[in-house]
Amino acid sequence: MTIASVSQAVLLSLTIAGLYAAVAAGLTLTVGVTRIINFAHGEFVMLGAFLTYWLHTRYALSPWLGMAASGVALGLFSMLVYRVFLARVLKQDEHNQLLATLGLSILLLNIAVILWSPDPRVMQAPALLPSLRLGDVSIPGNNFAVALVGLTLFLVMLWIKTHTRYGTQMRFASDDPELALHAGINVDRVFELSFVIGGAAAGVSGGLVALVLYVQPTVGVDLVIRAFAIIALGGLGNIPGALVGAAILALAEGLTSTFVPQGGSWGFGVAFLLLLLVLIVRPSGLFGKQVQT
Amino acid sequence: MNRVQVRIEKAGYGDLMVVPHLEFAVSGGELLVLLGPNGAGKTTSLRALVGTVDVSRRTLRLDDRDLSRLSTWQLAHAGVAFVPDGARCFANATVEENLRGAFEALRPRGAQGERRRLLDTVFNLFPILHQRQGQLAGSMSGGQRQMLAIARALMIEPKLLILDEPSAGLAPKLVEELFEALGRIKDSAGCAILMAEQNFAAAMGIADSCLVLDEGHVALAGPAAEIRHNERLRVAYLGL
Ligand SMILES: Nc1ncnc2c1ncn2[C@@H]1O[C@H](COP(=O)(O)OP(=O)(O)OP(=O)(O)O)[C@@H](O)[C@H]1O
Ligand SMILES: [Mg+2]
């Protein structure tokens, strides 16, 4: 174990943290505002990955544009899902909401398997950015791009929530939906908007997936579980917390798989272990408020 | 003018009908107080009016505008502000964000001057809010949150201000301050005020007219000056 190999593992993990953060930031925005536990967020990511992949392999569209297109497409798709499906389910109790999004997740996953087969695919894209060299350590260009886009996406979510008037309305609507109505806020629209923004973020994250992971129907399943672990780490609705949570998770996974013998098969177990630990020790998350009122 | 006319038929919860019929009017610069013991149906009536309790029929007219068909959030845009009971604020936002957010929910971008003016007005009424601008609303005392709740409602410059038991849980000194502020709002802003209260003495000090509910029915209604000295009312409905 040399310094170079450790720094290499740390840096690579941090680029994967960018992907995790992107997936989790969209999810925590949606869940934090609407309280819909959206299991289908992972499948939105998967659809974005396939879209970016197909646009590149069929039409030679640059993954940069593919990401943007996926963001728009999944944003629109989320709007459709919200209007015809979730808006109705939202008025029912929480268990029904859980079942509804879980059902949607499984449905999308199965449709993807039927349409595209379960086989993993690799997007043969030229590196989007030159690789980054720091002494002995080098970060492949696409990993660098993933970290960059992930971080940007994440900052955009944060900015929307803290610096726009829609962000204020989102926070009001999640704090006290009824009071928000009395304040003249169209809470239904605000919920829809936050769901659409979360969906668009999932689409862009899908583009990132296509850059560094296998494109396959089940790719969203792992990611959404990780995203929930990250949200648990960071505290629900806490966007900066999600960034730190993503870094912790990616580092824990990356270091285990690099330095623990046969650690590669441990990667996912580490996520669950962290999730369980947080739920036991600090249920409101590392940065969540301790007292929920 | 801000003349408000209200009619509510059969307000309640599912099969439980609480208020069969209620009708009243209140004008700009006037305060109508809704009195009655616990469970009389005050909250139910107010909520039926703003659309968060089921009614079979609701008529709401503001001057010659018919607001009967507007939903809860649309009513705010039409100038009807509601302050629910329990001093509710957006707990995870600061005092300043609560006030600014309420203003921005209704106004177009860039109305800075107007926002400043309204902020000055509410800070003038409740100076403590000025000192606590950066504090999270959830970490303020009950009395401070009640002031914030009212200030938030005033940020939309309401034509009709509806308050549900604003004095509940406040120390007598604060009640006095609060009602004095309401009196000033009424006189200066020219809005009509409808307020449910249990604090008979304090409410009657600023009320212009009065409506007493008992088990969902109107037991007594009339100008405050008459009701104030009505022995029957005191004994029968208010236990004073
Ligand atoms: N959410 C609800 N579901 C069912 N019944 C309710 C509900 N809220 C109130 N009630 C019933 O409606 C009746 C009137 O209640 P309401 O809250 O309107 O009284 P109130 O005059 O506001 O009393 P208070 O002074 O205690 O606030 C009561 O009998 C109460 O039990
Ligand atoms: Mg009440």
Side-chain angles (χ1 to χ4, degrees), chain B residues 13 16 18 36-45 85 165 198:
Chain B
Y13 310 87
L16 175 70
V18 176
N38 291 117
K42 303 180 296 293
T43 299
T44 305
S45 304
D85 53 358
E165 291 205 44
Q198 296 243 27

Side-chain angles (χ1 to χ4, degrees), chain A residues 2 7 46 52 61 64 73 89 93 118 125 134 153 166 202 223 234 240 247 270-271 290:
Chain A
T2 63
S7 6
M46 177 270 292
T52 308
L61 195 71
W64 289 123
V89 181
D93 77 280
L134 301 160
L153 201 59
Y166 293 116
L223 283 171
V270 170
Q290 276 298 288

Side-chain angles (χ1 to χ4, degrees), chain A residues 67-143:
Chain A
M67 265 177 233
S70 298
V72 174
L74 268 299
L76 291 174
F77 182 66
S78 304
M79 186 185 290
L80 192 75
V81 167
Y82 187 89
R83 289 199 178 166
V84 305
F85 181 61
L86 282 179
R88 284 153 228 245
V89 181
L90 254 183
K91 300 190 172 68
Q92 305 170 19
D93 77 280
E94 283 169 24
H95 303 97
N96 288 359
Q97 293 175 25
L98 272 181
L99 288 176
T101 68
L102 195 58
L104 179 66
S105 156
I106 295 169
L107 179 70
L108 292 174
L109 178 64
N110 279 297
I111 291 175
V113 170
I114 291 166
L115 288 180
W116 303 311
S117 87
D119 302 337
R121 296 172 162 87
V122 177
M123 184 168 74
Q124 305 286 354
L128 292 182
L129 295 172
S131 61
L132 191 68
R133 287 203 160 278
L134 301 160
D136 297 341
V137 182
S138 102
I139 303 295
N142 278 348
N143 279 65

Side-chain angles (χ1 to χ4, degrees), chain B residues 91-103:
Chain B
N92 294 318
T94 64
V95 168
E96 192 266 343
E97 286 169 333
N98 267 271
L99 298 174
R100 181 162 45 86
F103 176 81

Side-chain angles (χ1 to χ4, degrees), chain B residues 30-231:
Chain B
E30 254 179 36
L31 190 150
L32 170 68
V33 64
L34 202 57
L35 293 165
N38 291 117
K42 303 180 296 293
T43 299
T44 305
S45 304
L46 297 187
R47 291 191 165 272
L49 176 54
V50 296
T52 50
V53 156
D54 293 338
V55 275
S56 71
R57 213 187 139 86
R58 173 187 72 174
T59 316
L60 173 58
R61 297 188 66 83
L62 181 63
D63 293 334
D64 41 1
R65 282 188 67 194
D66 183 6
L67 311 182
S68 311
R69 310 190 73 85
L70 299 189
S71 65
T72 303
W73 69 269
Q74 289 169 327
L75 279 177
H77 288 252
V80 178
F82 179 54
V83 181
D85 53 358
R88 270 156 72 183
C89 300
F90 298 109
N92 294 318
T94 64
V95 168
E96 192 266 343
E97 286 169 333
N98 267 271
L99 298 174
R100 181 162 45 86
F103 176 81
E104 286 179 345
L106 305 200
R107 297 305 158 102
R109 243 157 263 272
Q112 302 288 345
E114 202 184 342
R115 188 174 93 202
R116 202 57 259 167
R117 178 177 62 78
L118 285 167
L119 274 178
D120 285 345
T121 316
V122 299
F123 286 155
N124 213 356
L125 279 168
F126 305 114
I128 184 78
L129 297 181
H130 187 243
Q131 295 158 30
R132 301 296 178 86
Q133 277 185 80
Q135 188 175 341
L136 280 186
S139 70
M140 299 210 301
S141 78
Q144 293 165 344
R145 272 186 284 130
Q146 187 60 267
M147 293 184 211
L148 177 58
I150 297 172
R152 184 188 54 67
L154 292 175
M155 288 303 287
I156 75 169
E157 273 200 304
K159 299 185 170 75
L160 169 61
L161 174 62
I162 306 173
L163 307 126
D164 193 357
E165 291 205 44
S167 77
L170 302 194
K173 173 91 175 56
L174 260 181
V175 174
E176 200 178 297
E177 265 179 53
L178 192 66
F179 279 30
E180 196 232 348
L182 285 177
R184 274 190 282 156
I185 292 164
K186 183 179 74 146
D187 295 336
S188 63
C191 67
I193 302 182
L194 167 62
M195 174 172 84
E197 256 307 334
Q198 296 243 27
N199 189 331
F200 176 78
M204 291 314 262
I206 53 165
D208 298 289
S209 51
C210 172
L211 208 152
V212 182
L213 273 184
D214 187 41
E215 295 186 2
H217 295 271
V218 178
L220 211 67
E226 282 173 26
I227 307 262
R228 209 170 283 141
H229 306 290
N230 188 320
E231 208 54 41

